[in-house]
PDB file of all heavy atoms in Angstrom:
ATOM      1  N   GLN A 527      35.398  -1.228  -8.460  1.00 97.00           N
ATOM      2  CA  GLN A 527      36.492  -0.781  -7.540  1.00 97.00           C
ATOM      3  C   GLN A 527      36.475  -1.681  -6.330  1.00 97.00           C
ATOM      4  O   GLN A 527      37.655  -2.120  -5.866  1.00 97.00           O
ATOM      5  CB  GLN A 527      36.256   0.642  -7.163  1.00 97.00           C
ATOM      6  CG  GLN A 527      37.530   1.408  -6.959  1.00 97.00           C
ATOM      7  CD  GLN A 527      37.222   2.769  -6.579  1.00 97.00           C
ATOM      8  OE1 GLN A 527      36.407   3.102  -5.773  1.00 97.00           O
ATOM      9  NE2 GLN A 527      37.892   3.822  -7.325  1.00 97.00           N
ATOM     10  N   ALA A 528      35.424  -2.021  -5.864  1.00 98.00           N
ATOM     11  CA  ALA A 528      35.348  -2.850  -4.561  1.00 98.00           C
ATOM     12  C   ALA A 528      35.870  -4.213  -4.895  1.00 98.00           C
ATOM     13  O   ALA A 528      36.636  -4.800  -4.183  1.00 98.00           O
ATOM     14  CB  ALA A 528      33.991  -2.825  -3.957  1.00 98.00           C
ATOM     15  N   VAL A 529      35.421  -4.794  -6.038  1.00 98.00           N
ATOM     16  CA  VAL A 529      35.760  -6.099  -6.407  1.00 98.00           C
ATOM     17  C   VAL A 529      37.351  -6.216  -6.575  1.00 98.00           C
ATOM     18  O   VAL A 529      38.011  -7.128  -6.105  1.00 98.00           O
ATOM     19  CB  VAL A 529      35.095  -6.572  -7.725  1.00 98.00           C
ATOM     20  CG1 VAL A 529      35.705  -7.793  -8.327  1.00 98.00           C
ATOM     21  CG2 VAL A 529      33.570  -6.738  -7.456  1.00 98.00           C
ATOM     22  N   ASP A 530      37.847  -5.138  -7.281  1.00 97.00           N
ATOM     23  CA  ASP A 530      39.275  -5.145  -7.464  1.00 97.00           C
ATOM     24  C   ASP A 530      39.969  -5.071  -6.127  1.00 97.00           C
ATOM     25  O   ASP A 530      40.994  -5.769  -5.937  1.00 97.00           O
ATOM     26  CB  ASP A 530      39.544  -3.825  -8.272  1.00 97.00           C
ATOM     27  CG  ASP A 530      40.794  -3.951  -9.060  1.00 97.00           C
ATOM     28  OD1 ASP A 530      41.021  -5.024  -9.607  1.00 97.00           O
ATOM     29  OD2 ASP A 530      41.599  -2.970  -9.106  1.00 97.00           O
ATOM     30  N   ALA A 531      39.519  -4.352  -5.193  1.00 97.00           N
ATOM     31  CA  ALA A 531      40.164  -4.148  -3.931  1.00 97.00           C
ATOM     32  C   ALA A 531      40.174  -5.510  -3.139  1.00 97.00           C
ATOM     33  O   ALA A 531      41.063  -5.865  -2.466  1.00 97.00           O
ATOM     34  CB  ALA A 531      39.502  -3.037  -3.035  1.00 97.00           C
ATOM     35  N   VAL A 532      39.040  -6.180  -3.196  1.00 97.00           N
ATOM     36  CA  VAL A 532      38.889  -7.411  -2.438  1.00 97.00           C
ATOM     37  C   VAL A 532      39.724  -8.606  -3.138  1.00 97.00           C
ATOM     38  O   VAL A 532      40.304  -9.424  -2.488  1.00 97.00           O
ATOM     39  CB  VAL A 532      37.401  -7.978  -2.451  1.00 97.00           C
ATOM     40  CG1 VAL A 532      37.241  -9.283  -1.854  1.00 97.00           C
ATOM     41  CG2 VAL A 532      36.625  -6.911  -1.450  1.00 97.00           C
ATOM     42  N   ALA A 533      39.828  -8.571  -4.522  1.00 96.00           N
ATOM     43  CA  ALA A 533      40.510  -9.595  -5.248  1.00 96.00           C
ATOM     44  C   ALA A 533      41.931  -9.425  -5.258  1.00 96.00           C
ATOM     45  O   ALA A 533      42.682 -10.379  -5.344  1.00 96.00           O
ATOM     46  CB  ALA A 533      39.911  -9.669  -6.655  1.00 96.00           C
ATOM     47  N   SER A 534      42.445  -8.202  -5.007  1.00 94.00           N
ATOM     48  CA  SER A 534      43.867  -7.932  -5.068  1.00 94.00           C
ATOM     49  C   SER A 534      44.379  -7.706  -3.677  1.00 94.00           C
ATOM     50  O   SER A 534      43.645  -7.781  -2.635  1.00 94.00           O
ATOM     51  CB  SER A 534      44.199  -6.751  -5.973  1.00 94.00           C
ATOM     52  OG  SER A 534      43.608  -5.594  -5.342  1.00 94.00           O
ATOM     53  N   ASP A 535      45.632  -7.464  -3.523  1.00 86.00           N
ATOM     54  CA  ASP A 535      46.265  -7.198  -2.232  1.00 86.00           C
ATOM     55  C   ASP A 535      46.207  -5.775  -1.742  1.00 86.00           C
ATOM     56  O   ASP A 535      47.170  -5.289  -1.330  1.00 86.00           O
ATOM     57  CB  ASP A 535      47.748  -7.751  -2.212  1.00 86.00           C
ATOM     58  CG  ASP A 535      47.900  -9.239  -2.124  1.00 86.00           C
ATOM     59  OD1 ASP A 535      47.012  -9.796  -1.492  1.00 86.00           O
ATOM     60  OD2 ASP A 535      48.881  -9.776  -2.646  1.00 86.00           O
ATOM     61  N   THR A 536      45.077  -5.254  -1.886  1.00 93.00           N
ATOM     62  CA  THR A 536      44.955  -3.794  -1.467  1.00 93.00           C
ATOM     63  C   THR A 536      45.066  -3.742  -0.037  1.00 93.00           C
ATOM     64  O   THR A 536      44.493  -4.542   0.731  1.00 93.00           O
ATOM     65  CB  THR A 536      43.563  -3.302  -1.905  1.00 93.00           C
ATOM     66  OG1 THR A 536      43.370  -3.671  -3.257  1.00 93.00           O
ATOM     67  CG2 THR A 536      43.408  -1.867  -1.741  1.00 93.00           C
ATOM     68  N   PRO A 537      45.748  -2.744   0.550  1.00 94.00           N
ATOM     69  CA  PRO A 537      45.937  -2.531   1.949  1.00 94.00           C
ATOM     70  C   PRO A 537      44.515  -2.443   2.590  1.00 94.00           C
ATOM     71  O   PRO A 537      43.570  -1.854   1.979  1.00 94.00           O
ATOM     72  CB  PRO A 537      46.557  -1.190   2.166  1.00 94.00           C
ATOM     73  CG  PRO A 537      47.234  -0.978   0.831  1.00 94.00           C
ATOM     74  CD  PRO A 537      46.471  -1.708  -0.181  1.00 94.00           C
ATOM     75  N   ALA A 538      44.374  -3.065   3.840  1.00 92.00           N
ATOM     76  CA  ALA A 538      43.051  -3.193   4.484  1.00 92.00           C
ATOM     77  C   ALA A 538      42.259  -1.925   4.503  1.00 92.00           C
ATOM     78  O   ALA A 538      41.064  -1.915   4.186  1.00 92.00           O
ATOM     79  CB  ALA A 538      43.189  -3.736   5.836  1.00 92.00           C
ATOM     80  N   GLU A 539      42.875  -0.798   4.875  1.00 92.00           N
ATOM     81  CA  GLU A 539      42.082   0.372   5.053  1.00 92.00           C
ATOM     82  C   GLU A 539      41.424   0.922   3.673  1.00 92.00           C
ATOM     83  O   GLU A 539      40.319   1.278   3.605  1.00 92.00           O
ATOM     84  CB  GLU A 539      43.009   1.523   5.531  1.00 92.00           C
ATOM     85  CG  GLU A 539      42.463   2.159   6.856  1.00 92.00           C
ATOM     86  CD  GLU A 539      43.568   3.114   7.409  1.00 92.00           C
ATOM     87  OE1 GLU A 539      43.722   4.189   6.854  1.00 92.00           O
ATOM     88  OE2 GLU A 539      44.205   2.651   8.426  1.00 92.00           O
ATOM     89  N   GLU A 540      42.265   0.853   2.663  1.00 94.00           N
ATOM     90  CA  GLU A 540      41.910   1.326   1.315  1.00 94.00           C
ATOM     91  C   GLU A 540      40.718   0.302   0.899  1.00 94.00           C
ATOM     92  O   GLU A 540      39.764   0.750   0.278  1.00 94.00           O
ATOM     93  CB  GLU A 540      43.118   1.199   0.385  1.00 94.00           C
ATOM     94  CG  GLU A 540      43.091   2.256  -0.654  1.00 94.00           C
ATOM     95  CD  GLU A 540      44.335   2.120  -1.463  1.00 94.00           C
ATOM     96  OE1 GLU A 540      45.464   2.195  -0.867  1.00 94.00           O
ATOM     97  OE2 GLU A 540      44.257   1.894  -2.676  1.00 94.00           O
ATOM     98  N   ARG A 541      40.900  -0.960   1.184  1.00 96.00           N
ATOM     99  CA  ARG A 541      39.941  -1.898   0.666  1.00 96.00           C
ATOM    100  C   ARG A 541      38.573  -1.706   1.369  1.00 96.00           C
ATOM    101  O   ARG A 541      37.504  -1.609   0.746  1.00 96.00           O
ATOM    102  CB  ARG A 541      40.407  -3.368   0.924  1.00 96.00           C
ATOM    103  CG  ARG A 541      39.433  -4.367   0.472  1.00 96.00           C
ATOM    104  CD  ARG A 541      39.713  -5.715   1.002  1.00 96.00           C
ATOM    105  NE  ARG A 541      39.626  -5.787   2.426  1.00 96.00           N
ATOM    106  CZ  ARG A 541      40.486  -6.443   3.297  1.00 96.00           C
ATOM    107  NH1 ARG A 541      41.453  -7.045   2.747  1.00 96.00           N
ATOM    108  NH2 ARG A 541      40.250  -6.353   4.529  1.00 96.00           N
ATOM    109  N   ARG A 542      38.701  -1.431   2.729  1.00 96.00           N
ATOM    110  CA  ARG A 542      37.412  -1.193   3.423  1.00 96.00           C
ATOM    111  C   ARG A 542      36.712   0.001   2.815  1.00 96.00           C
ATOM    112  O   ARG A 542      35.472  -0.011   2.800  1.00 96.00           O
ATOM    113  CB  ARG A 542      37.788  -0.866   4.915  1.00 96.00           C
ATOM    114  CG  ARG A 542      38.230  -2.052   5.669  1.00 96.00           C
ATOM    115  CD  ARG A 542      37.593  -2.326   6.941  1.00 96.00           C
ATOM    116  NE  ARG A 542      37.941  -3.736   7.227  1.00 96.00           N
ATOM    117  CZ  ARG A 542      38.860  -4.209   7.948  1.00 96.00           C
ATOM    118  NH1 ARG A 542      39.533  -3.280   8.736  1.00 96.00           N
ATOM    119  NH2 ARG A 542      39.181  -5.402   8.051  1.00 96.00           N
ATOM    120  N   ALA A 543      37.434   1.054   2.547  1.00 96.00           N
ATOM    121  CA  ALA A 543      36.814   2.248   2.013  1.00 96.00           C
ATOM    122  C   ALA A 543      36.138   1.951   0.728  1.00 96.00           C
ATOM    123  O   ALA A 543      34.985   2.406   0.490  1.00 96.00           O
ATOM    124  CB  ALA A 543      37.789   3.438   1.858  1.00 96.00           C
ATOM    125  N   SER A 544      36.796   1.217  -0.123  1.00 97.00           N
ATOM    126  CA  SER A 544      36.185   0.954  -1.377  1.00 97.00           C
ATOM    127  C   SER A 544      34.881   0.060  -1.247  1.00 97.00           C
ATOM    128  O   SER A 544      33.868   0.287  -1.854  1.00 97.00           O
ATOM    129  CB  SER A 544      37.152   0.036  -2.282  1.00 97.00           C
ATOM    130  OG  SER A 544      38.207   0.623  -2.709  1.00 97.00           O
ATOM    131  N   VAL A 545      34.933  -0.855  -0.288  1.00 98.00           N
ATOM    132  CA  VAL A 545      33.739  -1.725  -0.072  1.00 98.00           C
ATOM    133  C   VAL A 545      32.570  -0.903   0.479  1.00 98.00           C
ATOM    134  O   VAL A 545      31.516  -1.055   0.068  1.00 98.00           O
ATOM    135  CB  VAL A 545      34.173  -2.881   0.940  1.00 98.00           C
ATOM    136  CG1 VAL A 545      32.869  -3.618   1.395  1.00 98.00           C
ATOM    137  CG2 VAL A 545      35.107  -3.896   0.269  1.00 98.00           C
ATOM    138  N   SER A 546      32.976  -0.029   1.400  1.00 98.00           N
ATOM    139  CA  SER A 546      31.886   0.806   2.020  1.00 98.00           C
ATOM    140  C   SER A 546      31.328   1.821   0.969  1.00 98.00           C
ATOM    141  O   SER A 546      30.098   2.024   0.963  1.00 98.00           O
ATOM    142  CB  SER A 546      32.403   1.533   3.226  1.00 98.00           C
ATOM    143  OG  SER A 546      32.495   0.662   4.309  1.00 98.00           O
ATOM    144  N   ARG A 547      32.159   2.312   0.094  1.00 97.00           N
ATOM    145  CA  ARG A 547      31.658   3.188  -0.879  1.00 97.00           C
ATOM    146  C   ARG A 547      30.673   2.531  -1.741  1.00 97.00           C
ATOM    147  O   ARG A 547      29.521   2.959  -2.069  1.00 97.00           O
ATOM    148  CB  ARG A 547      32.811   3.806  -1.724  1.00 97.00           C
ATOM    149  CG  ARG A 547      33.427   4.959  -1.245  1.00 97.00           C
ATOM    150  CD  ARG A 547      34.266   5.668  -2.279  1.00 97.00           C
ATOM    151  NE  ARG A 547      35.305   4.903  -2.836  1.00 97.00           N
ATOM    152  CZ  ARG A 547      36.575   4.961  -2.232  1.00 97.00           C
ATOM    153  NH1 ARG A 547      36.839   5.713  -1.254  1.00 97.00           N
ATOM    154  NH2 ARG A 547      37.483   4.166  -2.823  1.00 97.00           N
ATOM    155  N   ALA A 548      31.032   1.304  -2.189  1.00 98.00           N
ATOM    156  CA  ALA A 548      30.176   0.497  -3.057  1.00 98.00           C
ATOM    157  C   ALA A 548      28.870   0.102  -2.315  1.00 98.00           C
ATOM    158  O   ALA A 548      27.832   0.334  -2.844  1.00 98.00           O
ATOM    159  CB  ALA A 548      30.919  -0.723  -3.561  1.00 98.00           C
ATOM    160  N   LYS A 549      29.066  -0.476  -1.218  1.00 98.00           N
ATOM    161  CA  LYS A 549      27.865  -1.094  -0.497  1.00 98.00           C
ATOM    162  C   LYS A 549      26.834  -0.060  -0.061  1.00 98.00           C
ATOM    163  O   LYS A 549      25.689  -0.221  -0.155  1.00 98.00           O
ATOM    164  CB  LYS A 549      28.336  -1.937   0.710  1.00 98.00           C
ATOM    165  CG  LYS A 549      27.199  -2.731   1.405  1.00 98.00           C
ATOM    166  CD  LYS A 549      26.552  -3.788   0.563  1.00 98.00           C
ATOM    167  CE  LYS A 549      25.543  -4.641   1.176  1.00 98.00           C
ATOM    168  NZ  LYS A 549      24.420  -3.983   1.767  1.00 98.00           N
ATOM    169  N   SER A 550      27.425   1.070   0.425  1.00 97.00           N
ATOM    170  CA  SER A 550      26.483   2.149   0.860  1.00 97.00           C
ATOM    171  C   SER A 550      25.650   2.720  -0.346  1.00 97.00           C
ATOM    172  O   SER A 550      24.512   3.025  -0.241  1.00 97.00           O
ATOM    173  CB  SER A 550      27.276   3.260   1.601  1.00 97.00           C
ATOM    174  OG  SER A 550      28.075   3.898   0.678  1.00 97.00           O
ATOM    175  N   HIS A 551      26.372   2.899  -1.528  1.00 98.00           N
ATOM    176  CA  HIS A 551      25.652   3.369  -2.583  1.00 98.00           C
ATOM    177  C   HIS A 551      24.756   2.384  -3.268  1.00 98.00           C
ATOM    178  O   HIS A 551      23.581   2.627  -3.537  1.00 98.00           O
ATOM    179  CB  HIS A 551      26.686   3.992  -3.582  1.00 98.00           C
ATOM    180  CG  HIS A 551      25.981   4.564  -4.798  1.00 98.00           C
ATOM    181  ND1 HIS A 551      25.542   5.864  -4.810  1.00 98.00           N
ATOM    182  CD2 HIS A 551      25.580   4.098  -6.023  1.00 98.00           C
ATOM    183  CE1 HIS A 551      24.910   6.152  -5.929  1.00 98.00           C
ATOM    184  NE2 HIS A 551      25.014   5.065  -6.660  1.00 98.00           N
ATOM    185  N   VAL A 552      25.317   1.215  -3.570  1.00 98.00           N
ATOM    186  CA  VAL A 552      24.607   0.244  -4.401  1.00 98.00           C
ATOM    187  C   VAL A 552      23.367  -0.313  -3.623  1.00 98.00           C
ATOM    188  O   VAL A 552      22.364  -0.617  -4.187  1.00 98.00           O
ATOM    189  CB  VAL A 552      25.535  -0.839  -4.792  1.00 98.00           C
ATOM    190  CG1 VAL A 552      24.829  -1.969  -5.500  1.00 98.00           C
ATOM    191  CG2 VAL A 552      26.641  -0.284  -5.623  1.00 98.00           C
ATOM    192  N   GLY A 553      23.597  -0.506  -2.312  1.00 96.00           N
ATOM    193  CA  GLY A 553      22.411  -1.058  -1.594  1.00 96.00           C
ATOM    194  C   GLY A 553      21.140  -0.217  -1.727  1.00 96.00           C
ATOM    195  O   GLY A 553      20.105  -0.785  -2.019  1.00 96.00           O
ATOM    196  N   ALA A 554      21.280   1.145  -1.624  1.00 96.00           N
ATOM    197  CA  ALA A 554      20.076   1.961  -1.785  1.00 96.00           C
ATOM    198  C   ALA A 554      19.717   2.201  -3.236  1.00 96.00           C
ATOM    199  O   ALA A 554      18.613   2.205  -3.590  1.00 96.00           O
ATOM    200  CB  ALA A 554      20.353   3.379  -1.206  1.00 96.00           C
ATOM    201  N   ALA A 555      20.738   2.153  -4.131  1.00 98.00           N
ATOM    202  CA  ALA A 555      20.442   2.402  -5.622  1.00 98.00           C
ATOM    203  C   ALA A 555      19.694   1.359  -6.115  1.00 98.00           C
ATOM    204  O   ALA A 555      18.772   1.534  -6.957  1.00 98.00           O
ATOM    205  CB  ALA A 555      21.848   2.588  -6.273  1.00 98.00           C
ATOM    206  N   ALA A 556      19.993   0.127  -5.746  1.00 98.00           N
ATOM    207  CA  ALA A 556      19.232  -1.013  -6.368  1.00 98.00           C
ATOM    208  C   ALA A 556      17.730  -0.978  -5.966  1.00 98.00           C
ATOM    209  O   ALA A 556      16.857  -1.300  -6.790  1.00 98.00           O
ATOM    210  CB  ALA A 556      19.809  -2.304  -5.908  1.00 98.00           C
ATOM    211  N   VAL A 557      17.455  -0.548  -4.706  1.00 97.00           N
ATOM    212  CA  VAL A 557      16.012  -0.472  -4.289  1.00 97.00           C
ATOM    213  C   VAL A 557      15.370   0.565  -5.176  1.00 97.00           C
ATOM    214  O   VAL A 557      14.268   0.380  -5.588  1.00 97.00           O
ATOM    215  CB  VAL A 557      16.014  -0.118  -2.803  1.00 97.00           C
ATOM    216  CG1 VAL A 557      14.539   0.147  -2.350  1.00 97.00           C
ATOM    217  CG2 VAL A 557      16.581  -1.223  -1.967  1.00 97.00           C
TER     218      VAL A 557
END
Side-chain angles (χ1 to χ4, degrees):
Chain A
Q527 214 179 44
V529 168
D530 206 42
V532 169
S534 64
D535 280 332
T536 310
E539 234 170 76
E540 216 178 299
R541 185 192 60 220
R542 289 231 160 102
S544 289
V545 171
S546 283
R547 272 199 298 271
K549 185 65 172 63
S550 63
H551 181 82
V552 175
V557 175

